[in-house]
Amino acid sequence: MAKSRARHMGISVRIIGRSHFDAKAFSSFLNSEGLSWKRSLKASQIEEIVEAAGRICYMSFGKKQSPRSNREYIRHLVCMGHESVLEHASWTFLVTGVSRGFTHQLVRHRVGFSFSQLSQQYHDETEAQFVEPSAVAQSDKARKAWKRSISLSKKAYDEILKSLADLKQSVASAVDKRELMRALRSAARSVLPNATETKIVMTANARALRYFLRIRGSIPGDEEMRRVAAALLKKVRPEAPSIFFDFEIGKLGDGSPIVHWTGVAN
Ligand SMILES: Cc1cc2nc3c(=O)[nH]c(=O)nc-3n(C[C@H](O)[C@H](O)[C@H](O)COP(=O)(O)OP(=O)(O)OC[C@H]3O[C@@H](n4cnc5c(N)ncnc54)[C@H](O)[C@@H]3O)c2cc1C
């Protein structure tokens, strides 16, 4: 791995939405059944959704409620492999400062994820930023080559757009103009590199997130993925420590983060 400290990428992860537990509605159901539920005082709304869903499976309320706390209850569900219950909790993230190369890997996750990403057909990329991999900074030669390549790509993008812009004048309707712009940007974007910065909104349920963190968060050679995985975990763990109890964030020699799954243990 890197000898020098990793250059910190401008990755940003914001939670812009999350599941809401309607305790009042749930209580009204319990009342209608003549049941009670001893809730854990410290449990968050998201943790309570999971617990409530799990308890519905066995109707373990009132006398049938075990003395387990919310944390113990969710841990037990995970240990049993009863993880579909975690799918009721989800977050919506806005992820920025990441490369198109990274998001291409991200969107391969099909189950429990939804994505909305900045379009390179509708959005003019003339002012696009580029995400420089930390590894490039370790060699002057590599860095120069990287910068030269980015600069050439930017120039080519601008030139392609400009040289085809005259075509726009000859098109009459707004719809045709819009489609022509789409075609022009499609042609121009073909020269943009994997490093092009992008923005993506991602909704993921807790089960899918746990799976993602496990398989993607600890690959030493994939720094951008590790950084995003660690940033996601840092955001969701304070909101639902019961759900992410078996993950830890460590550091590699270059100071970049790595997500460890410690494995479930009863
Ligand atoms: C180290 C590593 C290297 C990789 N290298 C490459 C590569 O070289 N080329 C490449 O194309 N991709 C590569 N990938 C991507 C990988 O193949 C997956 O596409 C990606 O990680 C998403 O994982 P997933 O399909 O398990 O997740 P999801 O799509 O979120 O699916 C989650 C789980 O649901 C189940 N599932 C989903 N769809 C189906 C289905 N159709 N049939 C049966 N079960 C299903 C599976 O159990 C799956 O694990 C790599 C991933 C990793 C982690």
Side-chain angles (χ1 to χ4, degrees):
M1 282 308 294
K3 278 187 203 144
S4 56
R5 279 189 75 78
R7 286 167 57 80
H8 187 72
M9 297 170 180
I11 293 168
S12 163
V13 171
R14 295 176 172 85
I15 294 180
I16 59 171
R18 54 178 65 70
S19 301
H20 165 77
F21 179 57
D22 193 331
K24 218 168 147 189
F26 197 70
S27 293
S28 88
F29 158 74
L30 291 175
N31 289 340
S32 71
E33 298 279 322
L35 292 169
S36 61
W37 173 28
K38 268 189 233 115
R39 294 163 68 186
S40 295
L41 290 176
K42 286 186 184 157
S44 67
Q45 286 200 17
I46 284 191
E47 291 169 329
E48 287 211 304
I49 289 179
V50 174
E51 185 184 339
R55 290 195 179 282
I56 285 289
C57 298
Y58 313 104
M59 285 304 278
S60 51
F61 300 99
K63 281 184 194 156
K64 283 173 77 184
Q65 178 168 1
S66 67
R68 286 192 179 105
S69 65
N70 172 277
R71 183 162 297 192
E72 290 162 342
Y73 189 84
I74 293 178
R75 189 189 176 96
H76 182 65
L77 289 176
V78 171
C79 292
M80 278 200 302
H82 188 6
E83 290 192 59
S84 61
V85 181
L86 305 181
E87 294 167 21
H88 300 293
S90 66
W91 287 266
T92 300
F93 307 93
L94 170 59
V95 183
T96 59
V98 287
S99 68
R100 292 277 298 197
F102 160 78
T103 55
H104 189 74
Q105 292 171 279
L106 180 67
V107 301
R108 295 293 302 281
H109 289 267
R110 299 157 288 179
V111 181
F113 287 90
S114 309
F115 301 103
S116 304
Q117 180 166 17
L118 175 71
S119 165
Q120 289 186 327
Q121 290 189 320
Y122 287 108
H123 182 256
D124 186 321
E125 292 284 80
T126 310
E127 300 298 325
Q129 301 292 310
F130 299 89
V131 178
E132 184 185 328
S134 301
V136 166
Q138 289 173 58
S139 148
D140 279 350
K141 223 169 162 186
R143 190 136 197 250
K144 273 185 196 149
W146 188 85
K147 288 194 160 185
R148 190 169 59 242
S149 172
I150 296 292
S151 168
L152 279 174
S153 298
K154 277 178 79 153
K155 257 190 212 147
Y157 179 87
D158 292 351
E159 268 176 46
I160 293 168
L161 268 192
K162 273 185 199 132
S163 49
L164 295 177
D166 290 346
L167 297 174
K168 211 168 101 185
Q169 311 304 326
S170 59
V171 175
S173 82
V175 173
D176 288 348
K177 272 193 177 135
R178 197 187 62 202
E179 286 310 306
L180 181 66
M181 277 317 292
R182 190 211 292 261
L184 300 191
R185 286 185 185 134
S186 292
R189 76 168 176 177
S190 66
V191 298
L192 290 177
N194 270 332
T196 309
E197 191 262 348
T198 186
K199 300 160 198 352
I200 190 163
V201 170
M202 171 179 106
T203 299
N205 70 51
R207 183 186 196 179
L209 263 180
R210 282 178 52 86
Y211 174 72
F212 174 81
L213 294 172
R214 273 173 62 178
I215 71 159
R216 294 291 198 169
S218 61
I219 302 169
D222 199 340
E223 185 188 343
E224 198 174 7
M225 189 63 83
R226 282 188 284 107
R227 284 196 183 278
V228 174
L232 287 168
L233 182 56
K234 272 187 194 160
K235 289 285 174 188
V236 294
R237 198 168 42 188
E239 299 200 4
S242 302
I243 296 176
F244 298 97
F245 66 93
D246 49 355
F247 287 92
E248 281 171 4
I249 300 176
K251 270 187 186 173
L252 291 187
D254 63 359
S256 65
I258 185 157
V259 172
H260 296 293
W261 178 58
T262 59
V264 287
N266 270 310

